[in-house]
Amino acid sequence: MYRAVILPLAKQDIKNAAEWYEEKQTGLGKRFIQEVRSKVSYIRSKPKATVVLYDDTRCAVLEVFPFMVHFTVDDSLKLVVVSAVFHTSLSTDRWAKR
């Protein structure tokens, strides 16, 4: 299994989304965080299961929430680096800027 590193900007993405969902319904922010953790765990076990969408960055879609985890894979270090967790409606221009 690969190790995972979540970069600070990606952590902020998760925090912002969780806070937004929590404002909408109590407990929903926590559910969002749990789903992100579950997806990162899946990515760690099968890092090449998703396609490369841009540069060397792969994306994995969350099951319930309309968000994608953007990450790169370093096979030599057995490492997954999560660079962003973006809503699926965001422009691809914003993805590439990260």
Side-chain angles (χ1 to χ4, degrees), residues 6-15 70 82-85 98:
I6 302 175
L7 297 181
L9 287 173
K11 288 180 181 179
Q12 190 62 49
D13 294 338
I14 296 165
K15 181 180 181 223
H70 298 244
V82 176
S83 56
V85 179
R98 279 276 178 96

Side-chain angles (χ1 to χ4, degrees), residues 71-82:
F71 64 99
T72 55
V73 178
D74 185 329
D75 288 317
S76 66
L77 296 175
K78 293 243 181 230
L79 180 68
V80 170
V81 179
V82 176

Side-chain angles (χ1 to χ4, degrees), residues 31-86:
R31 187 171 167 204
F32 174 79
I33 291 170
Q34 289 170 339
E35 188 170 343
V36 171
R37 284 184 181 149
S38 176
K39 187 55 71 173
V40 170
S41 179
Y42 172 79
I43 291 166
R44 289 178 60 216
S45 67
K46 298 179 181 177
K48 303 265 177 105
T50 62
V51 298
V52 174
L53 287 187
Y54 59 96
D55 301 326
D56 288 328
T57 303
R58 297 172 177 272
C59 292
V61 180
L62 299 184
E63 300 300 319
V64 175
F65 298 91
F67 279 77
M68 291 195 303
V69 177
H70 298 244
F71 64 99
T72 55
V73 178
D74 185 329
D75 288 317
S76 66
L77 296 175
K78 293 243 181 230
L79 180 68
V80 170
V81 179
V82 176
S83 56
V85 179
F86 286 146

